[in-house]
Amino acid sequence: AIAPKRMWSERDLFGGAITCTVPSSWRDVSDVRQVPDNQEVYHDIDANALLVIEILEYQRDVADDDAAGFFFTNLSEDNGVVSPDDAKYSGDDLVRSGLDDDVRRRIGCGLQKIAIGRDFDIGGNRRQDVTKGWVFIELCVLRLKHKESEILVTLSTPCCDDGSSVERRGVSNEFLRILSTFNIRDWSLFG
């Protein structure tokens, strides 16, 4: 059977200051739960993938060459990854963003073995039996030095993997399509 062609639609982010195209079936998480003001989050229900676009403070101490790796490591710490064997990062790719001459785009990907589900049970007690699984993380950092900001775009997809295939995976065409449609319409969003 031939899979149906995926439909895409342009989404307004941060009140329309930014736009990008994502698959039409992806749900805006803010319709379901509170999302921080500096984030836009979309959920692919079929693959249980999560697309997060967030505006962050510019990291002056991080070189362009190290930006994607820095944010991957930061994300692994936020995800509670403790063992170095549970976070495997692959490469950086410096690319002009197409947005502005002052914007640098860094792309990378990797695998992280993280806790699946909730940290607390229904009674509010910390769970002792935490199940861990591998998540494939694609990320792009848009470095807006002139605006003292960074935009971090991540696509996280659970995978059945032992963590050894990060070098073979690479960034997906789907993620690259999302990035290729990314457009900052109102630069005053950054102050």
Side-chain angles (χ1 to χ4, degrees):
I2 297 174
K5 187 174 181 173
R6 178 168 269 190
M7 301 298 293
W8 293 73
S9 57
E10 185 175 279
R11 306 288 178 102
D12 286 337
L13 310 174
F14 306 104
I18 298 174
T19 59
C20 76
T21 302
V22 299
S24 301
S25 62
W26 289 17
R27 179 173 37 184
D28 184 341
V29 172
S30 68
D31 291 342
V32 180
R33 68 168 173 83
Q34 185 86 22
V35 172
D37 290 342
N38 70 320
Q39 293 183 350
E40 295 282 349
V41 182
Y42 290 89
H43 182 220
D44 175 2
I45 298 168
D46 297 328
N48 200 24
L50 206 59
L51 174 70
V52 179
I53 300 113
E54 58 188 317
I55 299 172
L56 302 168
E57 184 177 331
Y58 186 79
Q59 300 297 311
R60 294 174 193 218
D61 297 337
V62 178
D64 284 347
D65 289 346
D66 302 327
F70 169 83
F71 283 106
F72 182 84
T73 300
N74 188 284
L75 185 59
S76 68
E77 291 168 0
D78 290 348
N79 285 334
V81 174
V82 178
S83 170
D85 292 337
D86 290 348
K88 300 177 184 212
Y89 178 71
S90 179
D92 282 320
D93 184 18
L94 177 62
V95 183
R96 281 221 185 270
S97 69
L99 295 172
D100 187 288
D101 287 341
D102 294 328
V103 177
R104 296 291 184 262
R105 181 174 75 174
R106 300 293 304 191
I107 298 175
C109 61
L111 291 163
Q112 294 180 8
K113 192 173 188 180
I114 63 172
I116 304 297
R118 299 182 181 271
D119 294 334
F120 297 91
D121 66 20
I122 198 163
N125 303 309
R126 182 167 285 285
R127 291 179 48 199
Q128 299 300 317
D129 58 335
V130 177
T131 304
K132 291 189 172 189
W134 287 100
V135 176
F136 182 62
I137 298 173
E138 302 170 75
L139 62 93
C140 175
V141 183
L142 294 166
R143 307 209 74 202
L144 313 174
K145 184 177 181 179
H146 63 294
K147 293 293 185 177
E148 292 292 313
S149 299
E150 314 231 27
I151 300 173
L152 178 62
V153 181
T154 57
L155 179 58
S156 304
T157 309
C159 59
C160 297
D161 197 306
D162 64 3
S164 64
S165 69
V166 67
E167 291 83 13
R168 293 190 312 267
R169 283 180 168 270
V171 177
S172 68
N173 289 332
E174 186 172 64
F175 189 63
L176 292 174
R177 180 170 179 175
I178 291 166
L179 297 177
S180 73
T181 63
F182 202 85
N183 182 25
I184 299 174
R185 291 184 171 180
D186 184 0
W187 286 91
S188 69
L189 173 67
F190 306 102

